Amino acid sequence: MKYRSTRGQVSGQSFESVVLEGLAPDGGLYIPEQLPSLPADWQTAWAQLTFPELATELIALFVGDDLTHDEVSQLVRKSYSTFSTADVTPLVPLAAQADTHVLELFHGPTFAFKDVALQFLGNLFEFFLARRNAREPGHRITVVGATSGDTGSAAIYGLRGKQNVDVFILHPRGRVSAVQEAQMTTVLDANVHNVAVAGTFDDCQDIVKQLFGRAEFRRKYALAAVNSINWARILAQITYYFSAYFALQRQHGARPVFVVPSGNFGDVLAGYYAQQLGLPAAKLVVATNANDILDRFLRTGEYRKDSAHGVVATASPAMDILVSSNFERFLWYLARDHEVPGGDADAAGACVQRWMDALRTEGAFSVSPAALAAARAVFWSGRCDDAQTRATIARCYAHEPAYLLDPHTAVGVHVAQALAPQIRALGDVRTVCLSTAHPAKFSDAVLEAVHDSGRELDFGAILPPPLVGLLELPRRCYECSNSADAVAQHIVDQLG
């Protein structure tokens, strides 16, 4: 199994190298050169596997000779032993909406879907570094990541105390929830460094990419990526699409329609890879908030920054993103199959590079009608504003039995309801809405939604024990201007 960059200048990379590098030297994202084939009998042979067993089988298909099957199994079991339920990502019915289930992805240590990938990635970093140091001592990495809220805490919890790893997490100051900020900044381990940037998540993400683009700085500090630009993040998330499919088969025997709250596109991209591997998902639905670049693309074929308004602050802050970085991976497949002659991989990379250049210089690019039609064949989309988000939270909590949604999940549930007639027309299907975070992480938005509906909510009764008293704990965080130079200097000051 080898990997190439979406921008065409790098290929033939091993799984270990793409995990430790994160971002390709040409600025692109790593993708498999070829997708593996599932076993012919996977639908029966895997049907009763536990989540860790299923993850082992899927991940093992993508690692080549870099990990044995037993090593994958050990890493996976260690990673998911931190979850509060043996199912890891349980599928539960949503009584307020017909034929709809919620895939709960928030049972990890930071109560967000990012834990599914980042617990695994943290252990993967540690394993590869330990193996390299056993051969030749002196290997370390400096993880630099940007977060709109949940990635930061999940990365920190996955990497805190890890040997030979320093982690710097950038978050937009004042643009994450109080719980999200506290989860990050109250971790005082010596290898953890929080940086509050005076800007937006997109600014933080741009700074990370700029640092990776500085070849000497990247080499000196052995920069590694923890955002979903790192292929291992996407790979780990493929498992819960298969897990949900098998759970749905046991309950109903129906095909799933996955509805995914989407900001940076990594979560739903994992669903795309699952479908390309052979998972019989009837449709993938991209659900956006007011920061709707993905919905606009799927309606028009134009990928355009909404530069007039910038990033809109919403009740679902983890999705407050102007440009979805992971969309580049999907664009590569559109380019290969619909924009260049003969499906040439290098030509597809050059096409993606032109699109990314146009996005940087002109703020937009467009794909061909054939490429747009192909995208629409895979993805539907919808948009949800804050009023609709609050109304959806209130509606699902008012229905018996009550279900309390976090604002991001509410975006997905609203879009699923809006598309219900089209979904029903697909035949024997059930809607699976991915629940990306525990509602306790967004207490202000949830309480406002419930109280506006005239109901009461004892938030203390649903607060997970690890979050009790979190806001009162000591913190450590460095405040920084919106500048790659300033962040780079902070890293130098901390590491020498």
Side-chain angles (χ1 to χ4, degrees):
M1 173 60 68
K2 298 298 181 182
Y3 292 82
R4 66 164 49 250
S5 167
T6 51
R7 301 192 186 181
Q9 300 301 306
V10 184
S11 61
Q13 299 299 297
S14 69
F15 178 72
E16 179 177 344
S17 66
V18 304
V19 168
L20 292 176
E21 285 184 26
L23 191 68
D26 62 0
L29 308 184
Y30 284 116
I31 56 175
E33 291 191 351
Q34 288 186 320
L35 289 181
S37 298
L38 298 181
D41 63 346
W42 71 269
Q43 287 177 289
T44 53
W46 293 358
Q48 301 303 321
L49 296 184
T50 65
F51 189 96
E53 290 169 342
L54 186 57
T56 298
E57 297 304 319
L58 284 163
I59 292 169
L61 296 173
F62 288 87
V63 301
D65 296 328
D66 289 344
L67 293 167
T68 67
H69 191 277
D70 284 346
E71 287 169 338
V72 174
S73 178
Q74 291 168 18
L75 287 165
V76 163
R77 291 180 186 281
K78 181 179 180 181
S79 300
Y80 300 130
S81 68
T82 62
F83 282 63
S84 61
T85 172
D87 290 340
V88 182
T89 59
L91 186 71
V92 300
L94 183 64
Q97 208 151 296
D99 298 329
T100 300
H101 290 71
V102 173
L103 185 61
E104 294 184 342
L105 305 177
F106 53 73
H107 292 282
T110 71
F111 307 98
F113 83 97
K114 310 293 179 74
D115 288 322
V116 176
L118 284 166
Q119 286 291 300
F120 175 68
L121 182 57
N123 289 322
L124 203 54
F125 279 149
E126 188 175 50
F127 177 88
F128 284 145
L129 286 170
R131 188 166 68 183
R132 289 187 174 192
N133 282 318
R135 299 168 183 161
E136 182 184 7
H139 291 280
R140 294 186 62 86
I141 59 171
T142 304
V143 172
V144 182
T147 185
S148 54
D150 286 334
T151 291
S153 57
I156 287 167
Y157 278 64
L159 294 170
R160 63 187 302 182
K162 296 291 187 186
Q163 292 187 357
N164 303 308
V165 178
D166 285 289
V167 54
F168 290 79
I169 297 296
L170 284 58
H171 71 266
R173 189 166 70 230
R175 287 178 175 261
V176 299
S177 78
V179 170
Q180 287 175 317
E181 181 179 341
Q183 281 186 306
M184 292 185 285
T185 59
T186 58
V187 177
L188 305 180
D189 296 56
N191 72 323
V192 172
H193 309 269
N194 280 286
V195 181
V197 174
T200 66
F201 168 75
D202 288 86
D203 294 326
C204 296
Q205 191 162 242
D206 286 343
I207 288 171
V208 171
K209 291 180 178 179
Q210 288 180 54
L211 295 180
F212 272 83
R214 299 179 178 186
E216 178 56 28
F217 185 85
R218 179 176 183 172
R219 183 201 61 77
K220 179 178 180 180
Y221 292 100
L223 298 191
V226 75
N227 285 90
S228 53
I229 59 176
N230 193 308
W231 166 252
R233 284 273 308 270
I234 307 302
L235 174 58
Q237 291 170 203
I238 293 172
T239 301
Y240 50 69
Y241 284 92
F242 278 83
S243 177
Y245 165 77
F246 284 123
L248 201 61
Q249 287 295 297
R250 289 191 290 271
Q251 295 178 31
H252 302 288
R255 292 182 301 154
V257 172
F258 291 105
V259 182
V260 188
S262 300
N264 224 14
F265 198 72
D267 204 5
V268 74
L269 180 69
Y272 169 74
Y273 277 111
Q275 189 182 58
Q276 294 304 299
L277 287 171
L279 187 74
K283 192 65 65 174
L284 299 168
V285 180
V286 175
T288 75
N289 61 17
N291 300 286
D292 59 352
I293 187 171
L294 295 169
D295 180 49
R296 286 185 282 113
F297 171 83
L298 287 164
R299 286 189 282 109
T300 67
E302 182 185 52
Y303 193 73
R304 174 175 291 278
K305 296 180 185 178
D306 189 4
S307 54
H309 299 96
V311 178
V312 179
T314 73
S316 46
M319 297 158 60
D320 292 350
I321 295 172
L322 194 64
V323 175
S324 303
S325 287
N326 257 296
F327 196 56
E328 182 171 333
R329 285 186 166 110
F330 178 65
L331 285 170
W332 186 88
Y333 294 101
L334 289 185
R336 183 195 63 182
D337 296 340
H338 303 285
E339 301 283 2
V340 301
D344 183 77
D346 291 335
C351 180
V352 170
Q353 182 68 68
R354 290 193 297 272
W355 283 338
M356 294 299 106
D357 289 344
L359 184 65
R360 186 183 68 257
T361 60
E362 303 169 27
F365 65 85
S366 295
V367 302
S368 67
L372 177 59
R376 287 174 170 170
V378 177
F379 297 107
W380 288 345
S381 67
R383 181 183 186 276
C384 177
D385 62 29
D386 277 359
Q388 292 165 329
T389 299
R390 289 192 294 270
T392 302
I393 293 172
R395 174 172 63 85
C396 292
Y397 188 68
H399 197 284
E400 294 296 338
Y403 192 95
L404 191 61
L405 302 168
D406 91 282
H408 307 79
T409 308
V411 169
V413 171
H414 168 80
V415 169
Q417 184 187 45
L419 293 176
Q422 295 96 307
I423 292 173
R424 283 195 295 270
L426 294 172
D428 186 17
V429 299
R430 294 291 188 278
T431 300
V432 176
C433 293
L434 274 61
S435 183
T436 56
H438 193 288
K441 299 192 73 168
F442 304 94
S443 56
D444 291 345
V446 170
L447 286 168
E448 180 183 358
V450 172
H451 290 165
D452 283 352
S453 70
R455 294 175 64 87
E456 294 298 321
L457 171 63
D458 179 6
F459 210 78
I462 67 151
L463 195 65
L467 299 185
V468 175
L470 180 69
L471 300 181
E472 285 71 52
L473 293 177
R475 305 186 185 201
R476 188 179 73 238
C477 184
Y478 176 74
E479 295 193 355
C480 185
S481 62
N482 182 6
S483 160
D485 289 340
V487 174
Q489 186 60 52
H490 179 59
I491 294 173
V492 172
D493 291 344
Q494 296 302 305
L495 302 183

